[in-house]
Amino acid sequence: MKKSRIYTIFAMACAVCSVAVAQENEEENELNGGTITVVKPYDPTISDAFKVKSVPAINDTTQVKKKPVTYSIFSVPVASTFTPAKGKLSTRKKTAPAKYFDNYARLGVGNYVNVLAEFTGNFEIDKDTDVGVFLNHFSSQGGINEVEDLGLNDAFSDTSLDISYGKRNRGYSWGITAGGRFQSANWYGVPQGAGFSPGEDADIGTNYLTAGIGGKARFFDSAIETIELQLFNTGSNYDAGETQITLRPEFGFDIMDEEIGLGATVDYLTGAFDNEDFLSADYSYLNLGVNPSINLYGDRFKAELGAGINYLSDLENSEGQVYIYPDINASYILVDEKVMAYTTIGGGLDMNSLRGFADENMFIAPAVVVAPTNRQLDSQLGIKGKLSERFGYKVFGGYRLEENRFFYTKNGPSFPLDLSLAQPYQFANTFGISYGDLNTFTFGGALSVDLNSQFNLTLNAASLSYDVTNGDSFNNVASQLPSFTADLIGNYDITEKWNVGATLYYVGERDVFTNDIASTTTLDSFLDLNLDVNYKINPKITAFLRGHNLTGGNYQYYLDVPVQNLQILGGAVYKFDF
């Protein structure tokens, strides 16, 4: 017993000495500019070395919704460096930790009487329970010259309010969110020089009101990983109505040391239009789906192999069909820290909805055809990695095959001889939705630069070519789809107080089909520059100045719908705790 105790004391003493020596060497290396090399075993689940910032989705830029350009105003002070004085050791100066706040309010005003208002509030009831309130508003009184020449109104507004409640404990966490969104705009896209107009006093407004409630629960140490339930109801001022209910549980478990996943979907969508000028039918769809998958790992590869099986029931027509899709995500390390090959092969049943169409294009007609899209194949093959510690890259090619894909086509005039009896949407100022089969070939790439924690830059570009079939009603034109897109996104923290962000994006030419005269118009490409400058007055108050569409002019993303020219918006953000 005594000998065992002596051995124990001796082992403890050796451990203490080794730690002391390691700390002394570490401090010496730091003070003398040395380098400490940390070697750790390869873990195929960590691929930070190969990450290129994800390609941001470029939302269609219209007068209603500019591409959001938001940069963080919560600047984090960078730890100061020092050079030790000669003849004596110096200690590292401590920097005060950055102060973060749970709540903020933003208010900005600009030309075109553009108004931006945001509020985020978090209320902690106890250590495991909180309540959140989120308000977003953006509106404009308009004033586009080409629109004013027609005597039309191009004002718009978009307001949303959400309230959430969250609860956490040792075994699971759950949250519920309820809210609503109100969107309003005007159908001002009357063709220039057409010789007809609704008139200066005409009410050409359209609006959509969406209310929703949803919840999500996450379980720990359980075969049931998550359960998500959502309910949305959307209505318009032209008596359109839609309801969608979606349930998505996810399961995960191990079988013979293999990770098995199983997702399921129950999606019910129903809607109706009550407008005598349109022949669009009521619609009701039920989508039942399962998605099993297995994760495989090797020394240099990682693969998730799965499949999607969906049963779609067209309840209005009493029809049903089964769809099967691949679901494969795989990567392989070709050169350590430099090159990784990857591929994604998937597909899915996309439940198009009135809510989704209105969110993307507020200029759709009061009634449109709503039907699902069968994304038979959606694949991408490429390589990504790092050129150096500061430069990342990605090069890829893709192919997508879609059955019953939607296209925005321009409606022609349909007003009666007596213009006083015409409806606001009958002046060739709305878009219909047509369906056809689409094959899309994509080739693109991305390059990211992170010189330091204060500066980063990302360039994304993609060239797209289309082949449309079964779209005889619109001459198989890939209506409104761009042939080339690119964006350059940068952020620079000049000092602890000054921050500048910029987005420069390019959208290539788009062909647009017009229904009444069965003709195609090609829209010009455009280059749009946005700048965002923030100045941190104190930890709680930050002033900002935004410039949108600095280079594009009154370009048209949608046919006959010019956007607002140069926009300047300024304001302040106030951060606080309750």
Side-chain angles (χ1 to χ4, degrees), residues 38-234:
V38 179
V39 179
K40 59 181 179 181
Y42 169 72
D43 183 355
T45 64
I46 299 178
S47 57
D48 288 340
F50 299 93
K51 287 184 179 178
V52 174
K53 290 183 171 60
S54 60
V55 178
I58 300 180
N59 295 329
D60 294 343
T61 302
T62 71
Q63 93 301 339
V64 176
K65 181 170 61 177
K66 290 293 298 178
K67 177 181 175 69
V69 182
T70 304
Y71 297 90
S72 173
I73 57 173
F74 304 104
S75 301
V76 180
V78 179
S80 59
T81 58
F82 67 95
T83 301
K86 293 181 179 181
K88 65 176 182 179
L89 296 177
S90 175
T91 60
R92 184 182 297 275
K93 297 180 180 179
K94 294 183 179 180
T95 58
K99 173 63 177 176
Y100 295 96
F101 299 89
D102 293 333
N103 318 281
Y104 83 90
R106 180 196 304 269
L107 180 63
V109 179
N111 60 331
Y112 294 101
V113 196
N114 291 346
V115 177
L116 171 68
E118 297 174 359
F119 172 79
T120 295
N122 292 281
F123 308 89
E124 185 177 290
I125 298 177
D126 55 48
K127 65 177 183 178
D128 297 322
T129 309
D130 53 42
V131 174
V133 178
F134 312 95
L135 171 67
N136 290 276
H137 171 84
F138 186 62
S139 63
S140 175
Q141 296 304 306
I144 301 173
N145 293 333
E146 291 87 341
V147 178
E148 289 185 335
D149 293 341
L150 296 173
L152 300 178
N153 182 4
D154 59 303
F156 66 86
S157 178
D158 189 350
T159 303
S160 62
L161 174 65
D162 296 289
I163 300 175
S164 67
Y165 176 85
K167 183 76 174 179
R168 300 168 297 277
N169 58 38
R170 184 172 299 178
Y172 63 91
S173 64
W174 63 274
I176 185 171
T177 300
R181 181 183 183 186
F182 181 76
Q183 302 163 268
S184 66
N186 287 277
W187 290 306
Y188 66 84
V190 177
Q192 293 287 326
F196 51 78
S197 173
E200 295 186 12
D201 298 326
D203 181 9
I204 56 173
T206 179
N207 62 65
Y208 292 89
L209 177 62
T210 298
I213 185 170
K216 185 173 183 178
R218 185 180 300 276
F219 301 90
F220 311 113
D221 299 325
S222 171
I224 304 175
E225 294 184 344
T226 62
I227 296 179
E228 185 174 5
L229 177 64
Q230 292 181 324
L231 167 64
F232 291 102
N233 181 267
T234 301

Side-chain angles (χ1 to χ4, degrees), residues 402-448:
E402 297 170 281
E403 183 182 40
N404 206 41
R405 208 271 190 196
F406 71 88
F407 299 86
Y408 293 118
T409 55
K410 188 69 183 295
N411 289 329
S414 59
F415 49 80
L417 295 177
D418 186 356
L419 291 182
S420 64
L421 301 177
Q423 297 296 323
Y425 47 79
Q426 294 181 323
F427 293 85
N429 53 349
T430 64
F431 289 83
I433 293 178
S434 303
Y435 290 85
D437 298 340
L438 176 66
N439 294 355
T440 305
F441 293 90
T442 307
F443 178 77
L447 180 65
S448 67

Side-chain angles (χ1 to χ4, degrees), residues 153-435:
N153 182 4
D154 59 303
F156 66 86
S157 178
D158 189 350
T159 303
S160 62
L161 174 65
D162 296 289
I163 300 175
S164 67
Y165 176 85
K167 183 76 174 179
R168 300 168 297 277
N169 58 38
R170 184 172 299 178
Y172 63 91
S173 64
W174 63 274
I176 185 171
T177 300
R181 181 183 183 186
F182 181 76
Q183 302 163 268
S184 66
N186 287 277
W187 290 306
Y188 66 84
V190 177
Q192 293 287 326
F196 51 78
S197 173
E200 295 186 12
D201 298 326
D203 181 9
I204 56 173
T206 179
N207 62 65
Y208 292 89
L209 177 62
T210 298
I213 185 170
K216 185 173 183 178
R218 185 180 300 276
F219 301 90
F220 311 113
D221 299 325
S222 171
I224 304 175
E225 294 184 344
T226 62
I227 296 179
E228 185 174 5
L229 177 64
Q230 292 181 324
L231 167 64
F232 291 102
N233 181 267
T234 301
S236 77
N237 60 326
Y238 282 91
D239 298 324
E242 179 184 83
T243 300
Q244 186 172 18
I245 304 174
T246 306
L247 173 65
R248 290 191 179 93
E250 292 186 0
F251 306 87
F253 39 86
D254 294 337
I255 298 180
M256 299 179 63
D257 296 329
E258 300 293 346
E259 296 180 8
I260 307 297
L262 178 63
T265 299
V266 179
D267 197 350
Y268 173 68
L269 177 71
T270 182
F273 300 97
D274 185 13
N275 192 294
E276 297 179 356
D277 292 332
F278 297 88
L279 300 177
S280 55
D282 299 346
Y283 56 97
S284 292
Y285 298 100
L286 177 63
N287 175 23
L288 304 176
V290 292
N291 178 213
S293 64
I294 181 173
N295 292 328
L296 303 176
Y297 301 93
D299 291 338
R300 304 184 70 83
F301 76 90
K302 175 182 177 182
E304 181 180 357
L305 307 180
I309 305 172
N310 291 78
Y311 174 75
L312 177 67
S313 176
D314 184 345
L315 302 178
E316 287 289 331
N317 299 307
S318 301
E319 298 176 350
Q321 189 171 353
V322 176
Y323 301 92
I324 300 177
Y325 308 100
D327 186 10
I328 300 173
N329 293 276
S331 60
Y332 185 82
I333 305 294
L334 297 175
V335 181
D336 289 340
E337 300 294 323
K338 299 295 182 181
V339 183
M340 179 173 71
Y342 75 94
T343 184
T344 60
I345 304 174
L349 192 61
D350 299 331
M351 296 290 281
N352 300 318
S353 64
L354 175 64
R355 175 170 57 92
F357 291 145
D359 182 45
E360 185 175 59
N361 182 359
M362 279 289 290
F363 309 110
I364 59 174
V368 294
V369 178
V370 178
T373 294
N374 175 22
R375 192 158 35 87
Q376 297 172 311
L377 180 64
D378 193 353
S379 61
Q380 188 176 114
L381 175 65
I383 59 173
K384 56 185 177 180
K386 298 181 67 176
L387 300 175
S388 68
E389 290 298 321
R390 303 297 184 184
F391 295 88
Y393 70 91
K394 177 180 178 181
V395 179
F396 64 90
Y399 175 70
R400 178 181 294 183
L401 176 59
E402 297 170 281
E403 183 182 40
N404 206 41
R405 208 271 190 196
F406 71 88
F407 299 86
Y408 293 118
T409 55
K410 188 69 183 295
N411 289 329
S414 59
F415 49 80
L417 295 177
D418 186 356
L419 291 182
S420 64
L421 301 177
Q423 297 296 323
Y425 47 79
Q426 294 181 323
F427 293 85
N429 53 349
T430 64
F431 289 83
I433 293 178
S434 303
Y435 290 85

